[in-house]
């Protein structure tokens, strides 16, 4: 039996167990230890076990730094195993730091507090951050407010982070540096906005350029300089005026303190070219300008820097209708225009391109008066007539009834084809409505009258309204009769309702081509062609007979009175 003076190995194990407890209970625990030595890159640590353990010095250093450790320092380590094959304790400083860090981070995450960490590595989709022992993931989108091309200057530097998410079971922590920057910037913006005022003129630096404007740094807060506020003149893209890095003088137009948005302007620092524009650009003035933009509804013409007017598509050409403005003018082309309307309040000027040249319809009327003969090409044939191309790109129309004598209008249309050159006589010109009426049959000498066209066209002046004339039927239609006046060669029309007083008399089919009868001249249409009426003649003769031979009160019937009137008229003939 061993004495107390000479304890056995079992006695020593019992004594150790009494002192430290069960050795197996040490494994997985964080314990205090003392640095007893530093050998090469290892620290020798005594934690009170059978033997000391060794821990790499790098586990005691922050990323990118050297360990500040010396003999005698007390440290916390995690016991992985009490004894390995070499009889040494297996210790870990990293695991101890990580466990302690998780406890601290969970408390800070609950309070939404900032934590300090160091970016020390790059992984797929982001970076790794050391949070005093715990490793967190920093997504690439959470590094900065704007994309960062080079993250190297941010690595191995202690800086604050915001914990977005953490899961201790899975060992996952997600942090954000951007949230800290946005919070800091919001505080700076709020303070800076309070120092700014609308109307204030301030210097700034162009930070970014977009299609709709430029962002200008005003010393910690950005303002938007919209493209429409760059200059009074038209600016296609902000890059035509600004470059990134330019220092510019701007005026604060609006400040929205709720959204912290600031609108800036540069043109507000220039004199407004629209001041006094109405006096300078008076209606009817002829100006020269440059085409700056072309749209489907017209073209914009710059009269001077900052002042543009619109030439509507309807004011671009006298003769080209329903044509895209781009086929009439081109961008940057110098053009002559006439001011049509000025609205200084709305900053609008209406211009006319066609008004800067002579009206071709008026020019045609001067060169070719009514009764003159013209020659042109058949441009188009429609169901009611032919369109003839004339001088200065104007067109004249020959109605189907004025194409040829003795045949129907439909048959007359078939006599001519598109592209054929024909001659015609000018019957009427309406420059305001841009209409020219022509006649082709009036040039024929073989017509019913045998008269030349000029005499036929002019003979309308010899007919007086309400005169009774003898006409010859040229064509029978459903709507009425096409007739010719006596021997003058002038044609006109009698509507169906004017063929007689009674409904039975208003049938066109009771007449035949070549039949002659009397009718009353009721007026002239826009092409100076006469219109006739048998009905109006009958009413007029009735009134005249009653006046001459007495009323029906005298005992004579209306038939007796009309009979006497007709007999008297036949006697005169």
């Amino acid at each position: 039996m061993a004495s107390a003076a000479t304890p056995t190995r079992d006695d020593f194990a019992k004594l150790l167990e009494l002192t430290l407890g069960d050795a197996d209970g040490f494994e997985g625990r964080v314990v205090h230890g003392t640095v007893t030595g530093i050998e090469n890159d290892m620290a020798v640590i005594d934690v009170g076990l059978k033997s000391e353990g060794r821990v790499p010095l790098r586990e005691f250093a922050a990323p990118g730094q050297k360990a500040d450790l010396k003999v005698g320092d007390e440290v916390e380590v995690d016991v992985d195993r009490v004894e390995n094959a070499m009889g040494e304790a297996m210790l870990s400083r990293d695991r101890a730091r990580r466990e302690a860090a998780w406890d601290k981070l969970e408390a800070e995450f609950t309070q939404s507090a900032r934590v300090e960490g160091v970016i020390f590595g790059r992984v797929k989709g982001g970076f790794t951050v050391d949070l005093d022992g715990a490793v967190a993931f920093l997504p690439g989108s959470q590094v900065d407010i704007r994309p960062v091309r080079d993250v190297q200057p941010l690595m191995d530097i202690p800086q604050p982070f915001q914990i977005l998410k953490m899961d201790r079971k899975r060992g996952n922590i997600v942090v954000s540096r951007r949230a800290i920057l946005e919070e800091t910037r919001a505080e700076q913006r709020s303070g800076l906005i309070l120092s700014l005022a609308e109307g204030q003129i301030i210097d700034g630096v162009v930070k970014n350029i977009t299609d709709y404007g430029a962002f200008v740094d005003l010393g910690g807060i950005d303002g938007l300089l919209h493209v429409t506020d760059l200059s009074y003149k038209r600016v296609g893209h902000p890059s035509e005026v600004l470059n990134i890095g330019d220092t510019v003088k701007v005026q604060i137009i609006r400040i929205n303190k709720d959204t912290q948005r600031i609108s800036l302007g540069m043109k507000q620092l220039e004199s407004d070219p629209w001041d006094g524009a109405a006096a300078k650009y008076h209606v009817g003035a002829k100006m020269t300008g440059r085409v700056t933009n072309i749209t489907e509804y017209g073209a914009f013409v710059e009269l001077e820097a900052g002042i543009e007017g619109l030439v509507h598509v309807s004011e671009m050409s006298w003769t080209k209708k329903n044509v895209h403005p781009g086929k009439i003018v081109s961008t940057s082309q110098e053009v002559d225009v006439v001011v049509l309307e000025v609205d200084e309040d709305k900053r609008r000027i209406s211009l006319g391109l066609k008004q800067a040249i002579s009206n071709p319809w008026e020019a045609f009327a001067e060169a070719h008066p009514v009764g003159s003969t013209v020659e042109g090409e058949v441009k188009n044939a429609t169901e009611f007539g032919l369109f003839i191309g004339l001088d200065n790109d104007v067109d004249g129309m020959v109605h189907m009834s004025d194409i040829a004598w003795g045949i129907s209008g439909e048959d007359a249309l078939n006599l001519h084809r598109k592209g054929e050159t024909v001659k015609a006589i000018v019957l009427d010109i309406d420059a305001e409505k841009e209409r020219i009426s022509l006649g082709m049959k009036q040039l024929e000498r073989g017509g019913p009258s045998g008269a030349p066209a000029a005499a036929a066209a002019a003979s309308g002046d010899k007919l007086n309204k309400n005169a009774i004339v003898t006409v010859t039927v040229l064509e029978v239609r459903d709507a009425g009769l096409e007739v010719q006046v006596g021997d003058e060669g002038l044609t006109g029309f009698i509507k169906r309702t004017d063929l007689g007083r009674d409904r039975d008399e208003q049938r066109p089919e009771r007449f035949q081509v070549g039949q002659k009868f009397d009718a009353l001249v009721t007026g002239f249409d826009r092409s100076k062609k006469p219109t006739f009426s048998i009905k109006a003649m009958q009413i007029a003769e009735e009134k005249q007979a009653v006046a001459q031979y007495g009323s029906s009160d005298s005992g004579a019937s209306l038939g007796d009175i009309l009979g006497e009137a007709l007999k008297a008229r036949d006697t005169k003939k």
Side-chain angles (χ1 to χ4, degrees):
M1 180 176 178
S3 65
T6 57
T8 63
R9 190 179 187 88
D10 292 338
D11 293 334
F12 181 79
K14 290 179 180 179
L15 183 61
L16 181 64
E17 184 176 347
L18 290 173
T19 304
L20 299 177
D22 186 5
D24 293 337
F26 267 73
E27 294 184 359
R29 290 173 53 191
V30 177
V31 299
H32 287 277
T34 304
V35 179
T36 60
I38 297 177
E39 301 175 357
N40 297 326
D41 58 350
M42 304 291 286
V44 181
I45 300 174
D46 179 13
V47 294
L49 294 174
K50 294 179 183 181
S51 58
E52 298 169 325
R54 296 173 182 271
V55 180
L57 286 175
R58 59 177 173 77
E59 293 191 14
F60 293 92
Q65 300 180 15
K66 292 184 178 181
D68 183 13
L69 195 67
K70 60 184 182 296
V71 175
D73 288 348
E74 290 199 6
V75 294
E76 287 186 340
V77 292
D78 180 86
V79 180
D80 185 26
R81 292 178 61 184
V82 173
E83 187 177 10
N84 62 11
M86 299 178 63
E88 294 181 341
M90 294 186 65
L91 309 175
S92 171
R93 169 62 178 166
D94 282 345
R95 193 175 296 114
R97 288 177 60 229
R98 185 162 54 249
E99 291 300 320
W102 269 96
D103 293 338
K104 179 182 177 183
L105 291 174
E106 283 180 335
E108 291 173 329
F109 178 59
T110 303
Q111 300 173 5
S112 300
R114 298 180 180 182
V115 296
E116 189 172 270
V118 177
I119 302 174
F120 68 91
R122 186 188 296 269
V123 294
K124 183 178 180 180
F127 305 88
T128 52
V129 178
D130 180 10
L131 300 178
D132 196 21
V135 178
F137 174 62
L138 173 64
S141 62
Q142 296 297 320
V143 175
D144 206 326
I145 295 173
R146 293 187 176 87
V148 178
R149 294 182 180 179
D150 185 11
V151 186
Q152 192 62 37
L154 300 177
M155 299 185 72
D156 300 330
I157 299 175
Q159 51 192 313
F161 295 90
Q162 184 76 43
I163 298 177
L164 302 180
K165 182 175 64 176
M166 62 186 305
D167 186 340
R168 189 160 188 167
K169 291 183 178 180
R170 297 183 179 181
N172 293 335
I173 303 176
V174 180
V175 296
S176 170
R177 179 174 176 268
R178 173 177 178 173
I180 303 297
L181 296 177
E182 288 179 339
E183 184 179 344
T184 303
R185 188 177 73 163
E187 295 173 357
Q188 294 175 344
R189 286 171 64 95
S190 298
L192 184 56
I193 282 181
L194 293 176
S195 66
L196 299 176
E198 293 184 358
Q200 181 179 350
I201 299 174
I202 187 172
D203 289 333
V205 178
V206 179
K207 290 183 62 177
N208 191 26
I209 295 177
T210 67
D211 291 339
Y212 54 85
F215 288 94
V216 179
D217 184 0
L218 304 178
I221 188 171
D222 292 348
L224 174 61
L225 178 58
H226 197 271
V227 63
T228 57
D229 290 310
L230 279 172
S231 175
Y232 282 111
K233 68 178 182 180
R234 179 182 290 271
V235 177
H237 194 275
S239 59
E240 298 174 7
V241 181
L242 301 173
N243 295 302
I244 294 178
D246 287 352
T247 299
V248 293
K249 190 177 293 293
V250 294
Q251 184 178 47
I252 298 176
I253 302 174
R254 285 179 300 278
I255 298 178
N256 190 326
K257 294 183 179 180
D258 294 332
T259 60
Q260 294 190 338
R261 291 181 179 177
I262 301 176
S263 299
L264 307 173
M266 284 178 62
K267 74 178 184 181
Q268 287 76 7
L269 302 177
E270 306 172 359
S271 59
D272 190 348
W274 279 91
D275 291 341
K280 186 176 181 180
Y281 300 100
H282 56 86
V283 175
K286 187 175 182 180
M287 317 292 294
T288 299
R290 180 178 62 88
V291 179
T292 57
N293 190 29
I294 297 175
T295 67
E296 291 184 357
Y297 54 85
F300 288 91
V301 176
E302 184 182 58
L303 302 178
E304 66 171 275
I307 292 188
E308 286 185 345
L310 172 65
V311 181
H312 192 267
V313 63
S314 62
E315 306 295 345
M316 301 200 77
S317 174
W318 290 109
T319 57
K320 296 178 181 178
K321 309 295 183 182
N322 301 320
V323 176
H324 191 279
K327 294 185 178 181
I328 300 176
V329 295
S330 57
T331 304
S332 299
Q333 178 183 347
E334 295 285 338
V335 293
D336 291 331
V337 292
V338 172
V339 178
L340 303 180
E341 184 181 356
V342 180
D343 191 331
E344 194 171 320
D345 294 333
K346 294 183 179 180
R347 306 169 78 87
R348 294 177 181 173
I349 295 182
S350 297
L351 304 174
L353 190 66
K354 69 182 184 181
Q355 287 80 357
I357 60 176
S358 61
N359 185 334
W361 307 95
E362 294 177 354
F364 182 88
E366 293 179 6
H368 306 282
V370 172
S372 59
T373 302
V374 294
E375 183 175 313
E377 180 182 319
V378 177
K379 291 291 189 65
N380 192 24
T382 67
E383 60 181 10
F384 53 83
L386 303 174
F387 283 93
I388 311 298
L390 304 172
D391 298 342
N392 299 322
D393 291 331
V394 300
D395 291 343
M397 192 196 79
V398 182
H399 191 270
M400 57 190 294
S401 62
D402 289 316
I403 296 177
W405 297 105
I407 60 175
S408 67
E410 290 78 4
D411 291 338
L413 283 172
N414 294 328
L415 297 176
H416 301 281
R417 295 291 180 268
K418 185 177 179 180
E420 178 184 353
T421 300
V422 296
K423 289 184 178 182
I425 189 171
V426 179
L427 301 180
D428 182 53
I429 301 175
D430 190 335
E432 184 177 347
K433 295 183 179 180
E434 299 180 354
R435 294 175 180 172
I436 299 175
S437 296
L438 304 175
M440 293 170 59
K441 73 179 184 181
Q442 289 81 356
L443 290 172
E444 300 178 13
R445 292 187 176 274
S449 66
S459 63
D461 296 335
K462 298 179 182 180
L463 289 178
N464 296 320
K465 186 175 180 180
N466 297 324
I468 296 177
V469 295
T470 301
V471 297
T472 303
V473 178
L474 296 179
E475 184 180 356
V476 178
R477 306 180 194 169
D478 290 340
L481 304 178
E482 180 78 15
V483 297
Q484 175 189 337
V485 181
D487 296 328
E488 298 295 331
L490 190 64
T491 62
F493 192 75
I494 304 178
K495 297 180 187 177
R496 183 187 189 103
T497 55
D498 286 322
L499 292 177
R501 295 182 63 176
D502 299 332
R503 182 176 295 275
D504 186 58
E505 295 178 337
Q506 295 174 356
R507 294 179 296 105
E509 59 270 20
R510 73 188 184 90
F511 294 90
Q512 297 180 353
V513 175
Q515 181 179 347
K516 294 185 179 183
F517 54 84
D518 291 341
L520 180 74
V521 179
T522 56
F524 300 87
D525 61 16
R526 63 179 184 81
S527 60
K528 296 185 179 180
K529 293 180 63 174
T531 56
F532 305 98
S533 173
I534 299 175
K535 176 180 178 181
M537 181 189 70
Q538 291 173 339
I539 294 173
E541 288 180 341
E542 177 182 329
K543 290 181 180 180
Q544 183 180 2
V546 170
Q548 183 174 355
Y549 296 101
S551 66
S552 56
D553 295 338
S554 63
S557 66
L558 181 60
D560 294 337
I561 295 173
L562 290 178
E564 292 294 332
L566 293 175
K567 189 182 297 182
R569 189 184 66 178
D570 293 339
T571 303
K572 290 181 180 179
K573 289 183 179 180

